[in-house]
Amino acid sequence: MDKLEGVAARVAARRLDGLYKRRGDNDLVIVRVRGPGSQWSAGKLRTLAQLAKQYGIGALHLTTRADVLLPAIPFAHVDAVLSALKEAGMSTRGACGDCLRNITACPGAGVCPNERIDACALATELSDKLAGTSEYEHLPRKFKISISGCERGCALPQIQDVGLVARQVDETGLTGIGFDVYLAGGLGRHPMLAKKVAMVLRPDNVLPFIRATVECFNDLGDRTRRHWARMKFVAEQLGHDGLLAKIKERLTEKACEYVI
């Protein structure tokens, strides 16, 4: 194995640390930094810009999941970059690989006059409790979640494994703010729209629901055929109602309340 092949293998082994090998005959690495709740402070962006200038090509890339990429870091400097990010309160863990990916929120979260709930705050809370933890790593494939603060669904719930949309609810057993649930969507070579299922979540039951859903995917996802390992294919096999029933079994075990 030559030097470049060695770099590629070592980067691949650290995929969950947010690392990708840059294409081509080089020793360059792409470092992906998670942006929980789709928010970035000016201070963190300045730190990223400084790291890009010091170790990379002086440029940053923004991703569709509100992550930030350092696009061309020499492999020899990766550990220094990761250490600097940690010191600045940022993490790359779980930004790549077969894991619970960055949880996104509406672009106007916190300032939108139509919002029912601050989706950014909830997404950040969920990220702090779930993302980057060993319990939600080494899944069959990646798992994506978004939180929308109102019925407009600006966080694109239809293309997520789980999309939660806040709305005002006045139904038996639940009055106030609840979340409609969109289940098992995704893009890629076999795009599928998530289906709005017969469930409204109480805000304090979002976390148990997410845990149950990821655990269900971990058990049922196809680990033998990588291209067929997403949640949307589990839903295609079981039907959305069948998949929801599997999730409810876990919710019942956890004594989690929900409204149908």
Side-chain angles (χ1 to χ4, degrees):
M1 180 181 294
D2 63 26
K3 181 179 179 180
L4 293 181
E5 289 177 335
V7 168
R10 293 169 69 184
V11 172
R14 298 180 63 181
R15 181 65 53 81
L16 289 169
D17 285 327
L19 306 181
Y20 284 110
K21 169 69 175 65
R22 190 178 175 99
R23 291 179 180 177
D25 295 331
N26 56 63
D27 66 344
L28 299 178
V29 175
I30 300 169
V31 179
R32 180 182 290 173
V33 188
R34 284 195 295 112
S38 308
Q39 66 175 348
W40 288 94
S41 67
K44 288 182 178 180
L45 290 174
R46 279 194 292 269
T47 297
L48 289 168
Q50 291 167 0
L51 291 173
K53 183 176 181 180
Q54 180 178 357
Y55 295 106
I57 58 175
L60 300 172
H61 293 174
L62 301 179
T63 79
T64 56
R65 296 207 70 76
D67 294 324
V68 174
L69 303 182
L70 296 161
I73 303 297
F75 183 72
H77 297 316
V78 163
D79 288 333
V81 170
L82 295 183
S83 179
L85 290 170
K86 182 178 180 180
E87 186 175 344
M90 290 179 276
S91 176
T92 63
R93 189 71 180 180
C96 306
D98 300 331
C99 61
L100 180 60
R101 294 290 186 89
N102 191 44
I103 301 174
T104 58
C106 310
V111 297
C112 176
N114 300 306
E115 70 180 17
R116 307 289 189 178
I117 191 170
D118 185 347
C120 181
L122 178 57
T124 301
E125 178 186 352
L126 293 175
S127 294
D128 290 343
K129 293 178 179 178
L130 300 174
T133 61
S134 59
E135 187 177 1
Y136 299 106
E137 296 176 346
H138 306 291
L139 301 174
R141 281 292 302 278
K142 56 192 173 184
F143 195 94
K144 298 180 177 181
I145 301 168
S146 78
I147 314 290
S148 297
C150 78
E151 296 88 335
R152 295 187 177 189
C154 295
L156 305 177
Q158 296 90 349
I159 60 171
Q160 314 294 329
D161 293 292
V162 175
L164 300 180
V165 179
R167 67 176 174 91
Q168 184 67 37
V169 179
D170 186 10
E171 300 175 10
T172 302
L174 177 60
T175 300
I177 303 302
F179 289 92
D180 287 328
V181 179
Y182 289 78
L183 195 59
L187 298 178
R189 65 180 68 186
H190 299 287
M192 298 183 191
L193 290 178
K195 181 180 178 180
K196 180 180 174 182
V197 295
M199 171 177 281
V200 181
L201 285 176
R202 301 175 187 274
D204 57 350
N205 284 332
V206 168
L207 179 59
F209 176 80
I210 294 299
R211 288 187 184 278
T213 305
V214 178
E215 289 167 6
C216 190
F217 172 60
N218 198 27
D219 290 343
L220 300 177
D222 190 338
R223 293 182 180 273
T224 63
R225 300 176 299 169
R226 183 165 180 79
H227 291 308
W228 301 94
R230 295 294 303 277
M231 181 67 123
K232 59 190 177 184
F233 298 116
V234 178
E236 187 176 56
Q237 179 182 12
L238 299 178
H240 282 80
D241 291 341
L243 175 56
L244 182 59
K246 293 290 187 181
I247 297 170
K248 285 181 181 178
E249 290 174 5
R250 295 176 179 273
L251 290 174
T252 301
E253 292 172 1
K254 298 172 184 295
C256 177
E257 296 179 356
Y258 49 85
V259 174
I260 301 175

